Amino acid sequence: MTQRDLFYKWLFYSLVGLFWVFLQQMVLNRLDIWNGVHPFVLPLLPTIAATLERRQESAFFAIGAGLFCDLLMPGVFPCFYTLAFLSSALLAGLIAGRVIMPGFLCAFVCSVLALVLTDLLLMLFLNISTDFSAAVALSLMGQELLLTLPFSPLVFLTLRKVWRLIRNA
């Protein structure tokens, strides 16, 4: 794959990511389905991209997506989403390369792990700075997981479309 092809591949992945960020900010954040909890699809983007690509470029995509999310919506501390997305993408790359064959099942399992890892990191850093109930935090994590997982196939299909488009070019 030439340098130009690599550029276009990650440009298309980024455009799909921007679509999901727009959808998250304009639609999903305004849904009040379950006691104020809404779906959070952003950790799925770098994770599913890492299951499809399994290269070091997906780690750079995770860093870029995390930095973009950190600038868009500040987390518990600076670069929280960068750390969470990079960890999720690296874990997904390991799982896709060694444990589960890449595909929808792998992407779904890695999506669950990405959401759990992001929420556990959030709880860890919140526990350092404030006092909160772990039971309530775990309940919120479960609600967010149940609301977000139906979006996992949609994110997978959009990213797989880019993967097939570039692979066949």
Side-chain angles (χ1 to χ4, degrees), residues 35-54:
N35 298 329
V37 179
H38 56 78
F40 186 51
V41 298
L42 300 181
L44 306 181
L45 295 169
T47 303
I48 293 175
T51 63
L52 293 172
E53 292 299 329
R54 296 182 304 160

Side-chain angles (χ1 to χ4, degrees), residues 2-166:
T2 66
Q3 201 75 358
R4 189 174 107 184
D5 293 339
L6 281 173
F7 171 77
Y8 284 120
K9 173 173 74 170
W10 292 106
L11 175 70
F12 290 144
Y13 275 125
S14 299
L15 291 174
V16 168
L18 282 175
F19 164 76
W20 283 105
V21 167
F22 178 79
L23 191 68
Q24 177 74 49
Q25 292 297 315
M26 295 298 161
V27 177
L28 298 179
N29 284 351
R30 287 162 176 59
L31 292 178
D32 188 10
I33 299 173
W34 198 347
N35 298 329
V37 179
H38 56 78
F40 186 51
V41 298
L42 300 181
L44 306 181
L45 295 169
T47 303
I48 293 175
T51 63
L52 293 172
E53 292 299 329
R54 296 182 304 160
R55 294 194 178 133
Q56 68 186 17
E57 293 102 16
S58 62
F60 289 115
F61 179 71
I63 291 171
L67 286 173
F68 185 77
C69 288
D70 282 324
L71 291 172
L72 187 64
M73 46 188 195
V76 208
F77 66 91
C79 296
F80 170 74
Y81 291 112
T82 305
L83 175 67
F85 290 1
L86 178 61
S87 303
S88 300
L90 292 175
L91 181 64
L94 284 173
I95 290 172
R98 299 209 159 96
V99 180
I100 303 172
M101 190 172 96
F104 175 71
L105 178 64
C106 180
F108 189 77
V109 168
C110 291
S111 297
V112 171
L113 292 175
L115 288 167
V116 169
L117 180 65
T118 301
D119 286 340
L120 287 177
L121 283 172
L122 180 66
M123 284 190 277
L124 173 74
F125 292 117
L126 277 178
N127 191 23
I128 293 170
S129 62
T130 62
D131 189 30
F132 69 96
S133 169
V136 171
L138 289 172
S139 171
L140 287 173
M141 180 176 69
Q143 290 173 353
E144 183 184 67
L145 197 63
L146 288 175
L147 291 175
T148 305
L149 287 181
F151 290 95
S152 182
L154 299 173
V155 174
F156 175 75
L157 289 173
T158 56
L159 290 174
R160 190 180 70 169
K161 182 73 174 172
V162 171
W163 180 75
R164 283 188 174 182
L165 178 75
I166 296 299

